[in-house]
Amino acid sequence: IDNGFAIAASNVTLGGEAQYQCYAGFGFASGLAIETITCTGDGKWDSVPECSASQCTPLESVAHANATVLNGQGTNYGSVIRFECDPGYERKGDPVLLCQSNGTWSGAVPSCSKVRCRTFPEMENGWIANRTRAYSYGDETRAQCYRGYKLNGTSSVRCGPDGRFTNVSSCIDVDECSP
């Protein structure tokens, strides 16, 4: 048979059986690894098994990620797909999946979740408000100065795409005399 081969035969007379298997990357429509056919009373085999190229089911889309087909057509045996998370998001799971010869993917699709800002920046003569809350990419809090100091910049501090707070202002002494 095309893309497959006989692995066993009991005999080639009435009631005889032959077993077939497909080459790697091909499979039977039944999903079985081995197909058995029988010799009928009119001297013919009851069917001829057909091996078709293995296909994987289409992968679901991943929120906040781009999927790129690196090899193949996307669902056929040998297809390779890479997932990259958008800026500000981090991947959990395998970045690359392969459509295997048995028609299954090498793993589950990854997920992309917002990057967390876990360390608060230090401010000389000031502080970052609301430190007990968890901050993720895009979240904002405020910078404040101690009494006698004023902000040199904006009070808004944002969790950035690299997991660090951005736009951190400084505090300047308002009591100093200027020359």
Side-chain angles (χ1 to χ4, degrees):
I1 62 172
D2 290 340
N3 304 310
F5 55 97
I7 57 171
S10 59
N11 61 50
V12 291
T13 60
L14 177 61
E17 291 184 341
Q19 293 181 327
Y20 286 86
Q21 189 172 354
C22 295
Y23 294 128
F26 294 87
F28 297 116
S30 65
L32 297 172
I34 296 173
E35 285 281 343
T36 302
I37 60 174
T38 306
C39 183
T40 63
D42 61 358
K44 296 182 180 176
W45 295 102
D46 62 353
S47 63
V48 177
E50 292 183 28
C51 296
S52 304
S54 297
Q55 295 284 317
C56 289
T57 57
L59 291 171
E60 59 199 58
S61 63
V62 176
H64 307 290
N66 293 317
T68 306
V69 177
L70 300 178
N71 186 51
Q73 298 167 349
T75 57
N76 63 318
Y77 166 56
S79 289
V80 178
I81 298 179
R82 179 180 63 209
F83 291 89
E84 290 184 48
C85 295
D86 295 339
Y89 291 82
E90 56 191 351
R91 188 192 68 257
K92 182 178 180 184
D94 295 329
V96 177
L97 298 180
L98 165 70
C99 180
Q100 302 174 114
S101 63
N102 63 1
T104 62
W105 289 101
S106 59
V109 293
S111 62
C112 294
S113 56
K114 283 186 176 183
V115 168
R116 299 269 314 265
C117 284
R118 300 180 190 282
T119 306
F120 291 94
E122 293 299 320
M123 285 183 63
E124 190 172 340
N125 301 312
W127 74 95
I128 302 296
N130 302 322
R131 286 180 169 242
T132 57
R133 182 178 160 223
Y135 291 91
S136 297
Y137 171 60
D139 291 345
E140 290 186 15
T141 187
R142 292 182 333 274
Q144 296 178 320
C145 294
Y146 297 134
R147 186 172 307 203
Y149 295 86
K150 72 174 184 176
L151 274 172
N152 182 24
T154 177
S155 65
S156 177
V157 179
R158 181 183 297 255
C159 180
D162 60 353
R164 296 181 187 171
F165 284 97
T166 61
N167 298 332
V168 181
S169 299
S170 60
C171 295
I172 54 175
D173 191 345
V174 292
D175 294 333
E176 283 186 12
C177 297
S178 337

